[in-house]
Amino acid sequence: MSDCVFCMVANGEIPATIVFENETVIAFEDIAPQAPAHTLIIPRVHYAHVGDDVPDDVLLALMKAVPEVAAAKGVTESGYRVIMNTGRDGGQTVNHLHLHVIGGRRMAESMVTFTEGT
Ligand code: AMP
Ligand code: ZN
């Protein structure tokens, strides 16, 4: 998708701070971090969202990248939250499948949001 910002990151057309990558996925720092650690994981190939006929190996690679990112960001022991916003009501703003891995501070305990907890 030529007009997709995450495809541009995957293609190297837009600079990004790479945290982890392999042949299937790329993890890079969110441009507007909501926590001290805030990394995005995307498949190299464009899928709009998790319901977009995503192959099993791609879904597996996305999840397998999560602990790699956590280790790279130093939050393996302290913990982190993994979020996949999907569609309008899910708050998805970039229509290229991605996971958020956020950590480095306490999250709100009662809701799955970016809201800062105590
Ligand atoms: P979502 O709201 O789940 O679609 O999340 C999209 C995320 O992409 C937001 O947290 C943005 O800050 C982030 N973002 C948008 N453009 C870029 C970019 N060029 N590089 C890194 N992160 C980006
Ligand atoms: Zn894309």
Side-chain angles (χ1 to χ4, degrees), residues 33-77:
Q34 302 298 306
H38 188 167
T39 302
L40 303 172
I41 308 172
I42 67 169
R44 290 186 183 275
V45 173
H46 182 94
Y47 301 96
H49 53 75
V50 70
D52 191 15
D53 290 329
V54 187
D56 290 358
D57 65 310
V58 174
L59 293 172
L60 183 63
L62 285 167
M63 295 310 296
K64 296 279 278 185
V66 169
E68 301 286 353
V69 167
K73 298 301 294 178
V75 298
T76 301
E77 298 303 322

Side-chain angles (χ1 to χ4, degrees):
M1 294 260 301
S2 59
D3 61 345
C4 170
V5 65
F6 286 176
C7 282
M8 293 180 196
V9 169
N11 295 335
E13 297 169 37
I14 290 179
T17 302
I18 305 296
V19 172
F20 171 82
E21 62 182 322
N22 60 28
E23 64 182 9
T24 309
V25 303
I26 306 174
F28 55 96
E29 303 292 25
D30 195 293
I31 202 168
Q34 302 298 306
H38 188 167
T39 302
L40 303 172
I41 308 172
I42 67 169
R44 290 186 183 275
V45 173
H46 182 94
Y47 301 96
H49 53 75
V50 70
D52 191 15
D53 290 329
V54 187
D56 290 358
D57 65 310
V58 174
L59 293 172
L60 183 63
L62 285 167
M63 295 310 296
K64 296 279 278 185
V66 169
E68 301 286 353
V69 167
K73 298 301 294 178
V75 298
T76 301
E77 298 303 322
S78 54
Y80 48 88
R81 182 166 288 174
V82 181
I83 292 176
M84 180 189 290
N85 295 326
T86 304
R88 182 196 61 202
D89 285 357
Q92 184 176 8
T93 60
V94 177
N95 292 319
H96 180 130
L97 174 62
H98 57 280
L99 299 177
H100 297 254
V101 180
I102 59 175
R105 66 163 168 81
R106 290 292 295 274
M107 305 298 153
E109 293 177 10
S110 59
M111 288 184 63
V112 181
T113 68
F114 288 142
T115 306
E116 188 162 1
T118 55

